[in-house]
Structures are given as C-alpha cells and as structure tokens.
Amino acid sequence: LTATIRRTASADRTVAVQNAAWLQKHMSPYFFQAMSDEDNALTLLARELSQLQDNRHLILADREKRLVIACVNRPGSLYETLRKVGEREISYAMFSHSIASMPGMADELEVQRFEFDRRQNQEIDLKREVVIPVSLVRKVRSELRWSFPDFDLTKLDRLLKILWLNNENYLRMSPASRIAWLVWLFERGNASGGLFLDMVNVERDGRIETRVLFAVGNPPQEEFLLQLLEVFNRLGIGIRRAYCQTISNGIHPYFLGAFFVQTREGGPLLPGTQLAERLERELCTTQILSTSSYSYENFVVQGLMSGEDASLVNAFISFCHTSLAHNQPERFGLEDVQRAFYDHPEMAQLLVRFFRTRFDP
C-alpha cells in the first residue's frame, strides 16, 4: 500500500505541474488576479483537474463566506449553480472560462467564485477614517484620466471610499484598470438615476467578445443575480467571464456587473442587433418582475414567455382588476383576475400579441 501511494503521489505531482502549465496558458490573466488570495484553491485545481472527467463539480473552497467551484463548462451551468446556492446573499461573484478544452476532454473549464459578505447600509459610514494606499489612488486616477477623460475626478475619493468600505480585499488584489472601470460604472449608475447599461465589443486572445456593463441602484433583494443569468441563458448568450458585486452606498444596495459574453455559437453579440436589443429589454425588465411571482416561475422559467411579456401580463392583471373591481369589488377580487390569466396562458399570450400589434412601436 505504501509503495502504491508513493507511486501515485509521484505521478500526481507530474500531472499537477502539467495542469498548472495548461491553466497558465488557457485561463485569462484576470482569472489569476481575481484568485490571487486563493493559492490553495489553485493548487487543488491543478492537482485534481482530471477529476472533472468523471465529476461535474470540483469544490476548491467551501467556507462560511466563500465558495469556489470548478466545473465542466456546459450551457446553463452558472444558472444551475446559483439555483443550488439558494437564498444566500451574494456580495461578489466571479466566473471565468478557459479558452480551450481541458486536457483529455472535449469541454472547457469553468471556475465560479462566490462571496457571502454583504455589508449592511449602516456599516457604510463615510465619516469613518480609512487608509487607502496612496499608490492605488494615484493609479486609479491615472487610469480614469486615460480611459474616461470626461469623468469628474472630484467624485473619485467618495466613490472609492464606498467601494473600499464594502470590499477592501477586492480593491487590494485588483488591477487599477479594473477598479477604474468599477468606479466609472458606479458613477454612471448614479448619474443615470440608478439604471445603466452599456454594450461594446472587445478583443481578447484574437476573438471578439461583448462586454456588458450593468449598474442597478436598489435592485430586487432576492435572487437578482440568478434572474440576470436566467436572461443570458434563455437568450442563448454564453458568459465567458463575469465580475459582479452587490455593495451598499450607505442608503441602499447597488449592483455592479461586468459580463464578457458571446453567443452560444461562439460569435460576438453585436450591439444594435435584434438579440442585443432583446437582452437590453430583458435586463431592464428584471427591475419590475419578481422572481417569486407566478408569472416568472410559471411563464418565464418554463419558457412560455419572455420576461418582458410576463411583466406585461402582470400589468394587464392590475389594469383589469382596477377596472372591474371599481364596479363590482365583491365579484372581481385580485385573486379572481389573476386566476383567469394564470389558468389560461394561451389567452394571455394572445393579448400580449394584440397589444404589441397596436403599440409596438
């Protein structure tokens, strides 16, 4: 037994070194920056990567406030993981894919990292003294001048302090360029009244990806990230990399997300196309369609309707209830009107089609 273990350990060391070289070559440099505080997880990934030939998941870290998983990249894999995570409040999420199939496999690697350490509003005290490294502030300021010349640099100190109070570790281990993007996205969300979306094509390793930046002030409290991933999954848009945070500005939560995506066929999501316009409408609809509503769970998740159409059905229900209950409140309660729509989705779909024929555009 001892000899067998010794031979196996020697072989495992050789494989681990080979896998480490493969990871270095085929994972984004941003992945290693985002995992720079998880040396043990990276070591485990290199040592056990081949386990994904027989297992769907490999747990790299599982602690009270952090979960890191490696898995086979399959359509909807992120969405399925979030459904299993459940009601835990996610403060930070990072997803990253390899750019090639894993050794001895036909599938790419996917690594998912979740943190559950969301700050409460009362914890974000802007009067509190914090020491942000001067070198970091200087680098971020320089990046903002270069990438966003129209950015009002007088806002930098306040925005950076809010981000620091929410997740100091993230700012310490992230490159100045990414922090600059985060500051800019946070400012754009504020300037846009709490809802900002930007889509642009970027090149990485010789192929085009689409960067989707999304900022939401006071987003739905439960399963918001799950709802966003459901949109991407339903529209056939694959997430290659993503960095998402839910922070507090001291008054209410704020969602800041950067998604690097391609279509499931491997092509870019071209801004201005019908698919890009659908994505924009569906992402914005997440603000008014609750994941706990009957329309979402039975119409959207089941594939009967888009999120936009389901929210329109909810509006129909409210309109009909208001109109009918005004004259006969005892006969037309809200549940009666809801049941009429929920029990007959084909009629709801027909009404949506009539509505669009009349009002769109």
Side-chain angles (χ1 to χ4, degrees):
L1 177 60
T2 302
T4 300
I5 293 174
R6 188 179 298 114
R7 287 194 300 270
T8 302
S10 178
D12 286 346
R13 282 194 294 272
T14 301
V15 171
V17 171
Q18 294 172 345
N19 287 340
W22 182 88
L23 290 168
Q24 195 73 46
K25 182 177 180 181
H26 297 293
M27 295 296 287
S28 166
Y30 294 113
F31 165 74
F32 295 102
Q33 292 171 342
M35 291 289 291
S36 60
D37 60 341
E38 283 288 351
D39 289 344
N40 289 338
L42 291 175
T43 301
L44 179 60
L45 177 60
R47 190 174 68 240
E48 303 293 340
L49 184 63
S50 60
Q51 294 296 321
L52 291 176
Q53 293 180 352
D54 303 312
N55 301 283
R56 290 189 300 172
H57 297 92
L58 175 62
I59 296 178
L60 304 179
D62 187 3
R63 298 190 285 275
E64 179 184 2
K65 295 185 178 181
R66 184 173 299 174
L67 175 65
V68 184
I69 296 174
C71 63
V72 173
N73 175 30
R74 299 265 169 81
S77 54
L78 291 175
Y79 181 65
E80 290 302 319
T81 299
L82 274 178
R83 289 184 69 88
K84 294 175 182 176
V85 168
E87 297 296 327
R88 300 181 69 181
E89 290 190 339
I90 298 172
S91 58
Y92 171 66
M94 182 279 293
F95 317 125
S96 189
H97 289 189
S98 63
I99 60 173
S101 300
M102 287 181 281
M105 298 180 62
D107 300 295
E108 296 176 349
L109 170 67
E110 178 179 299
V111 178
Q112 308 167 358
R113 170 172 172 160
F114 303 96
E115 294 183 8
F116 312 96
D117 194 19
R118 194 178 298 183
R119 297 290 186 266
Q120 300 302 310
N121 295 330
Q122 62 270 19
E123 296 182 75
I124 309 303
D125 181 7
L126 295 181
K127 296 180 181 179
R128 173 183 157 194
E129 290 292 332
V130 298
V131 180
I132 303 177
V134 175
S135 60
L136 176 62
V137 177
R138 188 184 302 117
K139 290 177 182 177
V140 173
R141 190 182 300 274
S142 177
E143 287 285 345
L144 286 168
R145 284 199 186 100
W146 175 259
S147 301
F148 308 103
D150 295 332
F151 181 85
D152 184 357
L153 289 172
T154 61
K155 299 179 180 180
L156 173 60
D157 290 343
R158 177 178 178 276
L159 296 177
L160 199 58
K161 186 173 185 178
I162 291 175
L163 294 173
W164 185 271
L165 289 171
N166 276 276
N167 196 337
E168 176 184 336
N169 183 58
Y170 178 82
L171 295 192
R172 287 189 180 277
M173 58 190 261
S174 297
S177 58
R178 185 176 300 165
I179 298 174
W181 276 102
L182 190 65
V183 169
W184 177 80
L185 180 60
F186 191 15
E187 191 278 331
R188 286 292 82 202
N190 287 326
S192 303
L195 186 63
F196 176 77
L197 177 65
D198 178 71
M199 277 188 274
V200 64
N201 286 343
V202 296
E203 184 175 346
R204 180 200 168 208
D205 298 324
R207 57 174 157 180
I208 302 298
E209 296 177 337
T210 303
R211 183 185 62 225
V212 180
L213 299 177
F214 194 41
V216 182
N218 203 16
Q221 293 294 297
E222 296 181 358
E223 299 186 332
F224 181 59
L225 183 55
L226 175 65
Q227 190 176 10
L228 295 182
L229 294 187
E230 189 277 329
V231 169
F232 285 105
N233 187 48
R234 175 159 39 90
L235 296 182
I237 300 171
I239 298 174
R240 304 296 305 175
R241 290 180 291 133
Y243 309 93
C244 307
Q245 293 197 52
T246 300
I247 65 171
S248 170
N249 62 5
I251 301 174
H252 58 72
Y254 231 101
F255 176 84
L256 303 171
F259 303 89
F260 295 82
V261 304
Q262 290 181 323
T263 63
R264 284 276 161 75
E265 292 73 29
L269 173 66
L270 299 175
T273 60
Q274 186 176 8
L275 180 58
E277 291 174 356
R278 280 192 65 193
L279 176 62
E280 181 175 354
R281 291 198 302 269
E282 290 288 331
L283 289 178
C284 292
T285 299
T286 60
Q287 302 311 291
I288 56 176
L289 183 63
S290 171
T291 57
S292 62
S293 69
Y294 183 97
S295 297
Y296 180 80
E297 293 181 349
N298 293 274
F299 293 164
V300 178
V301 175
Q302 300 303 321
L304 293 179
M305 297 183 187
S306 68
E308 190 177 24
D309 287 353
S311 65
L312 194 54
V313 169
N314 286 344
F316 290 166
I317 291 172
S318 298
F319 176 80
C320 291
H321 174 245
T322 301
S323 301
L324 296 170
H326 180 73
N327 291 319
Q328 301 182 55
E330 296 178 356
R331 180 180 178 186
F332 295 108
L334 178 58
E335 291 184 359
D336 300 306
V337 179
Q338 288 175 329
R339 193 179 307 113
F341 280 87
Y342 295 159
D343 291 350
H344 303 281
E346 71 285 351
M347 291 301 297
Q349 290 172 316
L350 190 59
L351 287 170
V352 168
R353 194 188 317 161
F354 286 160
F355 184 89
R356 294 202 181 285
T357 300
R358 174 64 180 84
F359 294 109
D360 187 8

